[in-house]
Amino acid sequence: MKMFDRFWFCLCLWHLVGVFGDEMKFVKLGDSVTLNSGLTELMDNDQIQWRFWIGNTSIAEINVTADSMTVYDDVLDGRFRDRLKLDKQTGSLTITNITTEHNGVYLGVVINRTSIPFFLAVYDEISVKKGDSVTINSGLTEIMDNEEIQWAYMKENALITVINKQADSMTVFDDVLDGRFRDRLKLNNQTGSLTITNITPEHTGRYVLLILGPKESLKAFSVSVYSEIICFILHIFLIYY
Ligand SMILES: *[C@@H]1O[C@H](CO)[C@@H](O)[C@H](O)[C@H]1NC(C)=O
Ligand SMILES: *[C@@H]1O[C@H](CO)[C@@H](O)[C@H](O)[C@H]1NC(C)=O
Ligand SMILES: *[C@@H]1O[C@H](CO)[C@@H](O)[C@H](O)[C@H]1NC(C)=O
Ligand SMILES: *[C@@H]1O[C@H](CO)[C@@H](O)[C@H](O)[C@H]1NC(C)=O
Ligand SMILES: *[C@@H]1O[C@H](CO)[C@@H](O)[C@H](O)[C@H]1NC(C)=O
């Protein structure tokens, strides 16, 4: 069961991420986001389910035949409590006051009609000077024995590292993307934090950390690399004005 969820999620995130297109939602802490069902109107016997990746959990359902509309906002420790709004007309789902606990993949299923995946995340913004090293903090003090963590670079959907504590393995795929990460990645085997050394603008982009295990979560980071020259111009600008 667990494996199945994980499979579904990984498949969505790492391999089908291209299909998200407009369905990638970059949100700020506290924002609201509407996941669009793609329908303008529900039909007589439509049934809609909204599911969240952790445990393949149903968070909202509409059954037009039964004229019922339900949000399951007590699931997953109440992280969705008072945050879900369903549109009766279209079946779209609005999530309000978003936090990092809401990061991940959502699936909107209109039974017998469509199924739309969404990727939603709150990004931590990290700005780093060209040539410097940056450590992207996993936020973990220790990786548990039954956990696996994966780092991915979202720009071109490349999986860059995997630590599997149970299998006692740590893999760095630094040959991906024409070797742009070659010899630049360091993974802390205790915390799972990722260090990119001698960073260049080629490493700008979104990085996602997936923690799999009994307590699954996803963290997202937006890394931008600036060069000295821009810094210099900004400096002059600030002095001048
Ligand atoms: C998720 O749950 C739905 C509804 O119970 C089920 O139809 C679907 O097969 C499940 N998907 C996975 C990957 O377990
Ligand atoms: C929707 O409502 C109809 C009529 O009450 C019922 O037969 C059907 O099982 C319901 N579907 C789901 C998924 O609960
Ligand atoms: C938003 O969520 C945070 C964290 O759960 C909570 O402390 C805050 O009161 C919420 N804000 C609103 C406007 O609901
Ligand atoms: C979905 O299609 C199946 C097979 O055609 C049918 O038995 C089922 O009633 C349909 N469900 C809904 C909600 O339309
Ligand atoms: C973890 O890293 C430390 C320091 O680099 C090293 O001494 C240790 O052998 C590593 N442990 C494992 C299990 O790889």
Side-chain angles (χ1 to χ4, degrees):
M1 186 61 185
K2 256 301 192 282
M3 276 307 280
F4 203 33
D5 296 345
R6 209 181 94 185
F7 175 71
W8 173 66
F9 178 68
C10 292
L11 199 70
C12 267
L13 185 58
W14 310 142
H15 302 291
L16 292 180
V17 88
V19 310
F20 287 122
D22 287 345
E23 319 308 349
M24 303 275 292
K25 307 280 188 190
F26 307 113
V27 295
K28 296 234 182 310
L29 213 59
D31 272 1
S32 292
V33 156
T34 296
L35 308 181
N36 208 315
S37 68
L39 306 176
T40 50
E41 206 177 350
L42 298 182
M43 304 228 253
D44 273 353
N45 45 16
D46 269 343
Q47 286 172 23
I48 299 190
Q49 263 182 10
W50 285 100
R51 292 208 300 268
F52 185 56
W53 71 282
I54 296 179
N56 186 27
T57 309
S58 178
I59 54 172
E61 282 175 18
I62 296 183
N63 183 338
V64 177
T65 316
D67 193 22
S68 71
M69 215 162 73
T70 319
V71 293
Y72 301 100
D73 63 357
D74 277 343
V75 296
L76 302 169
D77 306 321
R79 73 181 70 189
F80 288 104
R81 196 168 295 141
D82 301 330
R83 286 181 160 93
L84 301 176
K85 284 199 196 102
L86 269 171
D87 185 320
K88 206 174 180 166
Q89 201 79 36
T90 62
S92 296
L93 179 71
T94 299
I95 309 168
T96 57
N97 192 14
I98 289 172
T99 72
T100 54
E101 279 201 306
H102 306 110
N103 286 355
V105 177
Y106 293 76
L107 196 62
V109 183
V110 186
I111 293 172
N112 287 357
R113 290 176 70 187
T114 56
S115 166
I116 317 170
F118 293 88
F119 179 83
L120 178 159
V122 175
Y123 287 80
D124 261 4
E125 313 241 356
I126 299 172
S127 184
V128 52
K129 193 167 92 220
K130 186 176 172 223
D132 277 1
S133 288
V134 63
T135 295
I136 314 178
N137 206 319
S138 71
L140 303 173
T141 48
E142 198 186 354
I143 303 167
M144 297 297 158
D145 281 345
N146 47 13
E147 280 177 337
E148 176 175 324
I149 74 160
Q150 303 183 353
W151 279 101
Y153 181 54
M154 293 293 274
K155 203 171 190 176
E156 292 164 55
N157 312 326
L159 188 61
I160 49 181
T161 73
V162 174
I163 299 183
N164 184 329
K165 206 59 186 282
Q166 217 154 17
D168 201 15
S169 74
M170 189 158 107
T171 319
V172 176
F173 302 102
D174 64 355
D175 275 345
V176 296
L177 308 173
D178 307 322
R180 82 175 66 165
F181 288 104
R182 194 170 295 139
D183 301 328
R184 290 175 208 264
L185 299 178
K186 282 199 191 113
L187 203 51
N188 182 316
N189 61 19
Q190 203 74 37
T191 63
S193 293
L194 178 71
T195 299
I196 308 169
T197 59
N198 187 16
I199 201 162
T200 75
E202 269 196 332
H203 305 108
T204 292
R206 299 191 162 92
Y207 293 78
V208 169
L209 169 67
L210 180 59
I211 301 167
L212 299 167
K215 216 165 175 288
E216 288 161 309
S217 66
L218 184 149
K219 294 186 173 118
F221 305 86
S222 175
V223 174
S224 57
V225 182
Y226 59 87
S227 60
E228 295 268 26
I229 189 91
I230 289 173
C231 218
F232 179 71
I233 291 168
L234 195 66
H235 190 68
I236 297 285
F237 181 86
L238 289 175
I239 288 172
Y240 196 76
Y241 293 92

